[in-house]
Amino acid sequence: MSKQVRTRLAIFASGSGSNFEVIAKAIQSGKINAELCLLICDQPEAYVLKRAEASGIEARLLQPNQYLNKMTFEQAVLGVLKEMKIDLIILAGYMRIVGKTLLGAYPDRILNIHPSLLPFFPGKQAVLDAFAAGVKETGVTVHLVDQGIDTGPILSQKKVMVESGDTLTSLEEKVHKVEHSMYPYVIQTYIEKLQKEQVHS
Ligand code: GRF
């Protein structure tokens, strides 16, 4: 049997990067069988850049406002992804809508984590929206990325109950905790699925 080449991951993030760190650790400990090759970040002040530096993972800061339009920005991103031979893109708090250029180059190869039970509460402030709506349960969704906003095929969902004493902060903490236990597992499961498909193709 031929030796399986390890899947090469790039994480895209714009903010704190707690999910980035959890994924990096899951790779280190062997829970995810992949290589974390690259962080793509679009915000110069994002704390995730510090986390990447601390864990020795190559980071590239690419800022859309330094490009003519979305297409040229994504072409630049794509250039880096190709240079690094990236197989799979993991969005982890990446606050941009992925455009045609990247979607076309990575069909069914871009995963996102969203802090609600999609299709409920898509968009940038899902936990706040769910809390403000007074729902009894919300949750986390991992899905494939398509051209819509948080609309791609769902890979996995987990519920988070909203209890009477919850504040927005406590709910955010509960949602994050579920994200951290869930994302590495779903990423590994998806990698295994892709590898099986490769073997059979
Ligand atoms: C997470 O809640 C994720 O679901 C959403 O953005 C947040 C990123 O958090 N897409 P962090 O930067 O990983 O801490």
Side-chain angles (χ1 to χ4, degrees):
M1 219 167 84
S2 66
K3 200 169 163 268
Q4 199 108 54
V5 178
R6 284 183 101 201
T7 304
R8 295 174 64 80
L9 303 186
I11 296 181
F12 286 29
S14 308
S16 155
S18 68
N19 281 284
F20 168 87
E21 190 158 335
V22 163
I23 296 165
K25 285 191 175 140
I27 288 175
Q28 261 174 13
S29 69
K31 279 190 200 145
I32 300 176
N33 182 17
E35 213 166 310
L36 179 50
C37 304
L38 179 65
L39 167 72
I40 296 279
C41 181
D42 60 339
Q43 298 292 335
E45 304 302 328
Y47 187 65
V48 70
L49 288 166
K50 296 207 165 54
R51 295 192 201 251
E53 198 181 348
S55 33
I57 291 158
E58 174 153 2
R60 300 280 180 98
L61 175 65
L62 286 112
Q63 295 174 263
N65 60 7
Q66 295 180 354
Y67 296 85
L68 213 53
N69 53 38
K70 192 179 184 93
M71 192 179 80
T72 52
F73 166 67
E74 288 205 340
Q75 280 168 346
V77 174
L78 191 55
V80 180
L81 298 176
K82 293 290 167 201
E83 174 197 325
M84 307 280 293
K85 297 186 168 38
I86 298 301
D87 301 306
L88 188 63
I89 299 172
I90 307 295
L91 307 187
Y94 181 64
M95 303 308 274
R96 296 194 169 274
I97 297 165
V98 177
K100 280 186 197 151
T101 307
L102 287 173
L103 285 169
Y106 283 87
D108 293 336
R109 297 289 187 282
I110 309 179
L111 271 59
N112 182 42
I113 190 160
H114 182 78
S116 78
L117 291 177
L118 290 171
F120 302 107
F121 308 114
K124 283 186 176 172
Q125 40 172 38
V127 183
L128 172 62
D129 290 344
F131 188 73
V135 292
K136 294 277 168 277
E137 59 179 41
T138 182
V140 177
T141 304
V142 178
H143 64 97
L144 291 173
V145 175
D146 66 7
Q147 67 290 343
I149 301 176
D150 304 321
T151 50
I154 290 172
L155 298 176
S156 183
Q157 289 189 304
K158 276 216 158 68
K159 282 183 189 168
V160 174
M161 302 312 291
V162 186
E163 281 140 324
S164 56
D166 268 326
T167 59
L168 177 59
T169 308
S170 69
L171 183 60
E172 277 168 350
E173 279 166 10
K174 288 201 289 193
V175 166
H176 254 101
K177 209 169 162 195
V178 169
E179 289 186 340
H180 296 163
S181 68
M182 180 181 179
Y183 213 5
Y185 177 77
V186 181
I187 292 168
Q188 173 59 20
T189 307
Y190 196 68
I191 288 173
E192 284 170 19
K193 178 182 174 281
L194 291 179
Q195 287 179 342
K196 269 187 209 141
E197 285 171 2
Q198 233 176 16
V199 169
H200 295 297
S201 68

